[in-house]
Amino acid sequence: MSSLRKIGPNHWTAPEIMGFIPNFHQTENARRNYPFGHFLKEEPLQPNNKIINLKYDDKDKDLEGLGEFFQHFSAGGHKNFLDMRLYSINARGGWIYLAMFWGGLYAIIMYLLRTLSPHYKPGDFFWFDVAIISFLGIGIIIDLFRPLPTPVRFHKKNQEVYIWHKRVLYRIPWNECEISVVVAQSNIGYGHLWDGYDLVIWLNPKHAVNKDLSGKKHRRLKLDSVGKKHVAAYGYWEYVRRYMMDEKPLWYEISERPRVAGFNHKIINTRSKLHRTLVYILGVPCIFLFKPHQFSLWFNPFRHKWPDQVHEWSGERCNWL
């Protein structure tokens, strides 16, 4: 059930969270330039440099620096630029939970059928079982091991944004970068129980440097997608905005290595052999089940890399994902 409220001919609002109320419109820019733009309800954030003022309780004052967005999305912080992962990375693992649900339901049905049916014979459903297990297993493999895309690179010193998407390289001046929050047209994953909100960066064809995309529509690149609590999408934007505008408060750190879940082998190797074995045996399944996107980042060998031009623009070579 939608919680959006129409307050004008072309004006919708979402419920207030942390003192912030989103305002959505169907804009002429979206109609003209975005795929299915006639249907989009969006709130443009950039190039308007829209400031999101969130109200924190006294007990949450330490969160004003928005560090949770760096922790959850950043591939690494650098002196002059920030790499932020796409939603397509952080959303990995959905197939694991689908497989657990549907596989468990299938197992219960088959168990009841085999124990209660007087006509069941061993092997009756063997190939059907193989087909179901294979389908779910292949889905998990594709979900976790499809190629990892490069992050979005926000270069504060150059005031530019670099994106490598579908073999097209974009070099976008910050003051021309188009970012908005849109109401998700299909709340897949939320069961249509509440509204979904996407934080989207729109890729203008004029910013493509390695292909001529004249006459094409903007491409949609999803940075984040949330259900019900829209403040997460707006908080992500506010973190990036403060970083690019060099505003405070902002929690930030210079990373010495890619921000990927893993084991501290130096510490583990100081423990007993039994302790080391248990850590590895239990640790990998836990990451697989509870942080599947980190599992993918850790084990996936299929990784995109930045074109050489981006390393030249960035001032250093870095392919962290």
Side-chain angles (χ1 to χ4, degrees):
M1 181 176 180
S2 177
S3 60
L4 293 179
R5 190 162 66 96
K6 189 171 185 179
I7 63 173
N10 182 27
H11 190 183
W12 294 263
T13 62
E16 178 179 343
I17 301 178
M18 297 180 69
F20 178 75
I21 300 176
N23 290 270
F24 299 102
H25 301 82
Q26 291 179 323
T27 65
E28 183 58 34
N29 180 57
R31 294 188 185 97
R32 187 171 58 251
N33 295 313
Y34 301 163
F36 305 105
H38 288 80
F39 306 101
L40 282 180
K41 299 181 183 73
E42 67 159 349
E43 180 165 16
L45 304 173
Q46 181 68 8
N48 301 333
N49 191 39
K50 184 176 179 63
I51 298 173
I52 308 300
N53 292 311
L54 302 177
K55 295 181 180 179
Y56 290 88
D57 297 332
D58 291 338
K59 64 179 180 179
D60 295 327
K61 286 294 183 181
D62 57 332
L63 301 178
E64 289 184 336
L66 303 174
E68 66 268 26
F69 296 99
F70 180 90
Q71 297 290 346
H72 188 61
F73 291 99
S74 175
H78 302 261
K79 181 179 179 180
N80 295 317
F81 62 86
L82 169 68
D83 284 343
M84 297 292 274
R85 293 178 180 132
L86 299 174
Y87 174 73
S88 64
I89 286 185
N90 283 1
R92 295 188 182 209
W95 257 97
I96 295 175
Y97 306 120
L98 284 174
M100 292 172 64
F101 175 78
W102 291 111
L105 184 62
Y106 173 78
I108 293 173
I109 293 173
M110 287 295 102
Y111 173 77
L112 293 175
L113 183 63
R114 286 163 173 160
T115 55
L116 299 180
S117 174
H119 303 292
Y120 169 75
K121 296 179 182 178
D124 277 356
F125 298 101
F126 175 77
W127 290 112
F128 193 66
D129 291 344
V130 170
I132 294 296
I133 294 172
S134 298
F135 174 75
L136 296 176
I138 291 172
I140 292 174
I141 292 172
I142 293 175
D143 186 22
L144 294 178
F145 292 98
R146 66 186 189 274
L148 294 169
T150 54
V152 176
R153 178 161 294 178
F154 296 95
H155 204 294
K156 180 167 61 176
K157 183 179 179 180
N158 295 348
Q159 285 294 288
E160 292 179 327
V161 180
Y162 309 136
I163 297 173
W164 175 240
H165 179 62
K166 294 185 177 179
R167 306 192 68 81
V168 179
L169 177 60
Y170 296 86
R171 186 180 191 179
I172 310 171
W174 175 245
N175 61 6
E176 296 180 16
C177 190
E178 297 179 45
I179 301 176
S180 63
V181 170
V182 303
V183 178
Q185 298 299 306
S186 177
N187 299 351
I188 296 174
Y190 309 132
H192 299 272
L193 298 177
W194 54 70
D195 299 304
Y197 305 91
D198 294 342
L199 178 63
V200 176
I201 184 166
W202 300 96
L203 305 179
N204 191 325
K206 76 175 185 178
H207 294 134
V209 299
N210 65 330
K211 287 187 179 180
D212 183 4
L213 301 179
S214 301
K216 302 287 187 180
K217 292 274 191 180
H218 291 43
R219 284 181 173 174
R220 173 175 176 155
L221 188 61
K222 192 184 300 184
L223 299 177
D224 194 17
S225 183
V226 297
K228 195 173 185 178
K229 294 187 177 181
H230 53 72
V231 71
Y234 285 95
Y236 185 136
W237 152 250
E238 179 62 14
Y239 183 86
V240 170
R241 191 199 68 79
R242 290 184 195 176
Y243 173 78
M244 292 298 287
M245 302 305 294
D246 199 20
E247 294 182 6
K248 307 298 181 187
L250 183 75
W251 192 94
Y252 186 75
E253 69 175 12
I254 304 298
S255 306
E256 297 180 358
R257 59 182 63 87
R259 301 189 67 259
V260 180
F263 298 120
N264 190 324
H265 299 285
K266 291 183 179 179
I267 295 178
I268 294 174
N269 289 335
T270 63
R271 308 299 175 85
S272 67
K273 185 175 181 180
L274 176 61
H275 181 93
R276 295 198 302 268
T277 303
L278 289 175
V279 167
Y280 287 118
I281 290 177
L282 297 177
V284 172
C286 284
I287 293 176
F288 177 80
L289 289 174
F290 300 111
K291 289 191 174 182
H293 71 285
Q294 294 283 11
F295 182 92
S296 180
L297 285 166
W298 198 11
F299 289 106
N300 193 341
F302 306 108
R303 300 165 177 262
H304 291 167
K305 292 185 177 182
W306 288 107
D308 289 337
Q309 299 102 303
V310 177
H311 301 307
E312 296 174 6
W313 302 335
S314 301
E316 66 176 274
R317 176 172 290 273
C318 179
N319 279 306
W320 292 357
L321 300 181

